[in-house]
Amino acid sequence: MIDRHPTPSPPQSAVPLPVRPDAGRFLVLAAVFVCAACGLVYELELVALASYLTGDSVTQASVVLSVMVFAMGLGSLLAKRLRCYAAVGFGLLEAALALIGGCSAMVLFACFAWIGESRYALVGFSLAIGVLIGAEIPLLMSLIQRISRRDAEGTVADLFAADYVGALVGGLAFPFLLLPWLGQLTGGLLTGAVNAAAGGGLVLWLFRRDLTARARGWLLVANLTVLAVLATAAVLVDDFERAARRAVYGDQVRVAVHTDVQEVVLTGDRNGPPDLFLNGRLRVSGRDEHRYHEALVHPAMRGPHARVLVLGGGDGLAAREVLRYADVDRVTVVELDPVVVQLARTDPALSSLNGHAYRDPRLRVVTADAFSWLRAPRETYDVVISDLPDPGITASAKLYSQEFYALASRILADDGRLVVHAGPLASRPHMFWTVDATLRAAGFGAAAYDASGGRVPSVRAPSEGPMGLAMGPDRPRAASPATRDNGFLLAAADRTPPLGLDRRTPSLRTLTPAVLAAGAQSAELARVAGLPPSTLVHPRYAD
């Protein structure tokens, strides 16, 4: 009798494997996990480096992620043509992804250092990496179906679960492991090596019978070449970084260190004034920094100033100006990066520039984020000096928000003053007057002034201070454009602007529309138009 309903035979592997189908399935899912982790590291690496090189983290993250998601869709479509050659296609794809993703940080840094432009390279890498990542899942789906065709829905779920968990691990490994321990360049190269080893190992061992001898040979050569390139780059990465820094900062780089907060670079001769760069931006120009710090500090000191708070200013230069007043009892500096404070204490040139301010017993240092520090109840201060990074930098936006100034007003004494560096005047008036509008929205009255070019004249301390202050040496030195284009706001915790700005003092003159005009719209017209304040949820400092 013929059995019309034979018992189905156990599912067979579509391709002879060196392991059982369940083990092969596990190995494919493990490769998905590793490749997903590496892919997310490449994405985060591009976002982090682009933010460091250009400063606008929101824009850079938006560009990288949107281009990558679009490119992943293209990659998925293109992968359909490779499904008949899934094994060799996946092997070559992972080799290309390892090479491009692993070297992307070095190439971007090289474009920035020697060409001065990295945006086009950023978009190109985002597009290329996105296409390659997008092609992974369709090819892996074909490979895992060749192992076993049962439970297609469960296979898809397992594949995406491994992909998402791998992305989680990669996303956590980048900031907590790769970046602090290896840095961006070496971390990227190591990620590429792991990517190449995982993809090449899976295809060359598990699916070796699916490849012709010639394909195996080419795939082996491709993966060994990629690993050799990545290993060579890892050996030369220190020399590359030094050469790139020399191209960016000049030949006199004395200190270059990645802290938990930023990259700190100190340049200059030990016998001359140093320049301090934070995340690639000039923070202190030793040649004419006195123009900025004197204009920042001294107008606010016209009045009671026994207790002074400096927010930021870990370089000690603002504290130097405050400590010139003998009747100052206590100065508190709140600085986020302890490495900057350590350099200001110990580096001969920088400590000499700040007048060895950290040796003064009146000075106390707090290592904390200024916004978080202000949220806890504190003593009151007569003067609060905001010596913080430029408001145009996304990471600094909260330090120029209405909420931040509301916190600052709580620690001001009744007749206290707050002075704020509000950014460049001539080049970005919108940003300057937005800071002004934000201060007013927080309940302050503010008066605007600038640090003019030319030699800074002598200014005497207020009558209650016994010492006269020569604001700047009697040597004529041309101020750098960055120093000339600095604007400040002197504020008091009511709606009446504080006194103390004297038009007769050229270096502390109140700003006029002619000084701040940009294009057809003057600063005064911008004020009349009523700029909205900046808040934590709606920063408004982009021009």
Side-chain angles (χ1 to χ4, degrees), residues 75-99:
S76 297
L77 293 175
L78 295 174
K80 293 193 297 185
R81 298 177 176 273
L82 297 176
R83 292 185 65 187
C84 296
Y85 313 96
V88 67
F90 180 74
L92 291 175
L93 182 145
E94 291 305 305
L97 181 58
L99 181 64

Side-chain angles (χ1 to χ4, degrees), residues 449-473:
Y449 67 99
D450 73 333
S452 68
R455 187 171 64 84
V456 179
S458 297
V459 176
R460 287 206 167 269
S463 57
E464 65 268 19
M467 57 186 298
L469 302 181
M471 290 181 59

Side-chain angles (χ1 to χ4, degrees), residues 505-538:
T505 304
S507 65
L508 300 176
R509 66 181 183 274
T510 304
L511 296 178
T512 63
V515 174
L516 295 178
Q521 185 179 29
S522 71
E524 202 63 33
L525 289 176
R527 294 186 67 178
V528 171
L531 293 173
S534 177
T535 66
L536 286 177
V537 296
H538 198 160

Side-chain angles (χ1 to χ4, degrees), residues 167-515:
L168 171 66
V169 172
L172 295 176
F174 179 73
F176 297 115
L177 181 63
L178 294 176
L179 203 56
W181 288 94
L182 298 175
Q184 284 186 321
L185 302 187
T186 305
L189 295 170
L190 177 63
T191 302
V194 172
N195 197 167
L202 178 74
V203 173
L204 289 171
W205 182 69
L206 188 61
F207 294 99
R208 63 180 182 271
R209 297 175 186 174
D210 208 31
L211 305 173
T212 64
R214 184 177 182 181
R216 283 198 300 270
W218 280 110
L219 195 55
L220 181 62
V221 169
N223 278 274
L224 290 177
T225 301
V226 169
L227 289 173
V229 170
L230 295 174
T232 303
V235 171
L236 299 176
V237 71
D238 289 338
D239 294 333
F240 170 83
E241 280 198 73
R242 284 192 290 269
R245 283 202 180 97
R246 283 197 299 271
V248 174
Y249 301 112
D251 294 330
Q252 294 184 326
V253 176
R254 292 178 36 231
V255 177
V257 59
H258 285 277
T259 72
D260 294 336
V261 179
Q262 60 201 343
E263 183 186 58
V264 180
V265 175
L266 195 64
T267 67
D269 191 288
R270 287 186 178 273
N271 298 321
D275 291 337
L276 178 65
F277 295 83
L278 302 180
N279 279 345
R281 297 169 188 82
L282 180 63
R283 178 64 177 161
V284 172
S285 173
R287 182 170 57 89
D288 55 6
E289 57 77 25
H290 64 281
R291 303 178 187 275
Y292 167 86
H293 290 99
E294 290 167 355
L296 173 69
V297 171
H298 293 296
M301 299 295 284
R302 298 182 178 186
H305 49 249
R307 302 178 307 279
V308 179
L309 172 64
V310 180
L311 300 173
D315 49 47
L317 298 170
R320 173 198 66 196
E321 298 303 320
V322 173
L323 292 170
R324 291 179 185 272
Y325 293 81
D327 51 347
V328 168
D329 295 334
R330 184 167 60 257
V331 181
T332 302
V333 175
V334 180
E335 169 61 45
L336 179 62
D337 195 342
V339 175
V340 174
V341 175
Q342 184 66 17
L343 274 176
R345 289 182 188 272
T346 60
D347 182 80
L350 188 55
S351 62
S352 175
L353 190 65
N354 65 37
H356 305 284
Y358 285 101
R359 297 180 185 176
D360 195 304
R362 295 174 291 171
L363 181 64
R364 179 174 72 100
V365 180
V366 177
T367 302
D369 173 69
F371 192 100
S372 301
W373 188 82
L374 287 176
R375 298 183 70 173
R378 306 287 174 185
E379 61 180 316
T380 59
Y381 294 89
D382 301 306
V383 179
V384 176
I385 298 170
S386 180
D387 187 16
L388 297 165
D390 194 289
I393 301 172
T394 306
S396 304
K398 70 174 184 179
L399 304 177
Y400 292 85
S401 66
Q402 186 175 338
E403 294 86 349
F404 180 77
Y405 294 134
L407 293 174
S409 68
R410 298 192 308 174
I411 64 169
L412 272 178
D414 292 339
D415 54 353
R417 283 87 62 211
L418 166 67
V419 63
V420 177
H421 167 235
L425 301 177
S427 58
R428 302 189 70 180
H430 178 279
M431 181 171 67
F432 180 87
W433 291 114
T434 299
V435 179
D436 177 87
T438 304
L439 278 167
R440 296 177 186 278
F444 285 92
Y449 67 99
D450 73 333
S452 68
R455 187 171 64 84
V456 179
S458 297
V459 176
R460 287 206 167 269
S463 57
E464 65 268 19
M467 57 186 298
L469 302 181
M471 290 181 59
D474 271 342
R475 54 185 185 279
R477 295 185 297 182
S480 68
T483 300
R484 289 196 301 268
D485 193 19
N486 274 315
F488 307 91
L489 291 162
L490 181 58
D494 57 44
R495 301 208 174 255
T496 303
L499 302 176
L501 299 182
D502 188 352
R503 283 181 178 273
R504 294 172 299 175
T505 304
S507 65
L508 300 176
R509 66 181 183 274
T510 304
L511 296 178
T512 63
V515 174

